[in-house]
Amino acid sequence: MTARMLDGTAIAAAIRESLRPEVEAFTRRAGRPPGLGIVLVGHNPASEIYVSGKQKAGTEAGLWVDVHRLPPTASVQDVLALVERLNRSDRHDGILVQDPLPDAMGSDAARRVVDAIDPRKDVDGFHPISVGRLVQNRPTLVPCTPSGVIELLDHAKVAISGAHAVVIGRSDIVGKPMALLMLHRHATVTICHSRTRNLGAVAATADILVAAIGRPAFVTQDLVKPGATVVDVGINRLTSRDDVERLFGRASPRLAAFERRGSLVVGDVHPAVAEVAGALTPVPGGVGPMTIAMLLRNTLKAARGEVTSNE
């Protein structure tokens, strides 16, 4: 068996294209494009790449993407003050503060900043009000990666209703909202994490297995039921040639990519899982592009006022 690859790049491109006429209609009606304010603190190389990708995709879709850069020496108060300005702005429909914030800001900095964002502009879907609405299955701005996974499964015609979905990872950003979205689609959901007993045996019962644990190649063949759909949310950077060879073999073309870049992005799922799974998302080119597409959709929803503060 060779898994069917779920092409997130192609699906995300189709979603972005479908958003274009809706963005144009809003722009004509409002006299301005939907506006997305992105806050980037410091010079984290990965964050720079992510923000650049979001800015490019948003601009191509017709959005106004406004990136605010703060130095690594910025304080939490500096970020909060900027968020408050964006909250009051009539031009900014969505606000995104790129994670992670500098360690010097303290362990509670991200939570304080998220709490300060107007829930109507919370295009990441991380605000407590957004989370509460998601729990109750009420209209809200849903975290982009989990909603992108659902969209990907729908486009691939993977049945969610009645399926046993196992989510490996319990983060507020992916694991928990992923489980909720699956529940709302009538799946039976199990959440696994680092302290789950017999994790492998539990994972091997899944019809849909979502790996979001942040450990390269953690999900091996023995964790996958034959024919299952496996969604790889992991983004891990390998910097050792030995690690790349161990995963892909010495003859793999991915070694050439490693040599060119000096690193290689891989997921949480071992490449050999493709021999067992029925369907699999690649890394890169699977969930990542879907996340950005959902961010653009959330920005348009926020611009239209589809989520109000008193719902």
Side-chain angles (χ1 to χ4, degrees), residues 27 34 47 76 82 85 88 93 97 103 124 132 161 189 192 196 201 203 224 232 287 310:
T27 302
S47 294
V76 176
L82 175 54
R85 290 201 300 274
R88 295 194 304 266
D93 302 293
V97 179
D103 291 341
D124 261 338
S161 179
V189 181
C192 294
T196 299
V224 178
D232 192 349
V287 175
N310 59 357

Side-chain angles (χ1 to χ4, degrees), residues 167-171 174-175 192-196 199 210-219 223 231-236 267-269:
V167 180
I168 305 179
R170 53 178 169 177
S171 72
V174 179
C192 294
H193 47 79
S194 59
R195 298 188 185 181
T196 299
L199 187 153
V210 180
I213 200 170
R215 293 174 59 180
F218 177 83
V219 175
L223 272 66
V231 179
D232 192 349
V233 182
I235 301 177
N236 309 288
D268 290 350
V269 177

Side-chain angles (χ1 to χ4, degrees), residues 23-179:
V23 170
E24 291 172 351
F26 175 88
T27 302
R28 287 193 300 270
R29 184 171 63 254
R32 64 167 182 84
L36 172 62
I38 300 179
V39 178
L40 176 60
V41 186
H43 306 296
N44 182 297
S47 294
E48 293 275 3
I49 293 171
Y50 297 149
V51 167
S52 176
K54 293 168 184 176
Q55 184 175 26
K56 181 175 184 292
T59 301
E60 289 176 350
L63 275 61
W64 174 60
V65 183
D66 182 31
V67 178
H68 295 257
R69 299 175 181 272
L70 294 177
T73 54
S75 67
V76 176
Q77 292 303 324
D78 293 331
V79 181
L80 293 173
L82 175 54
V83 166
E84 183 54 33
R85 290 201 300 274
L86 297 176
N87 280 341
R88 295 194 304 266
S89 169
D90 292 333
R91 293 194 65 194
H92 295 86
D93 302 293
I95 301 171
L96 181 155
V97 179
Q98 184 64 45
D99 188 60
L101 294 172
D103 291 341
M105 287 188 176
S107 59
D108 66 339
R111 178 167 294 180
R112 292 174 63 188
V113 170
V114 167
D115 288 355
I117 296 173
D118 185 335
R120 295 168 298 185
K121 298 187 177 188
D122 173 34
V123 289
D124 261 338
F126 298 159
H127 192 280
I129 289 177
S130 303
V131 174
R133 288 175 174 157
L134 176 58
V135 170
Q136 295 182 346
N137 200 19
R138 296 168 65 180
T140 191
L141 297 169
V142 179
C144 301
T145 297
S147 61
V149 170
I150 294 294
E151 196 77 26
L152 186 60
L153 295 175
D154 283 347
H155 274 74
K157 301 189 184 308
V158 174
I160 300 174
S161 179
H164 180 205
V166 173
V167 180
I168 305 179
R170 53 178 169 177
S171 72
D172 293 339
I173 295 173
V174 179
K176 292 175 186 175
M178 187 77 259

Side-chain angles (χ1 to χ4, degrees), residues 258-271:
F258 172 81
E259 295 293 351
R260 287 195 305 272
R261 302 185 182 99
S263 64
L264 191 70
V265 173
V266 301
D268 290 350
V269 177
H270 195 285

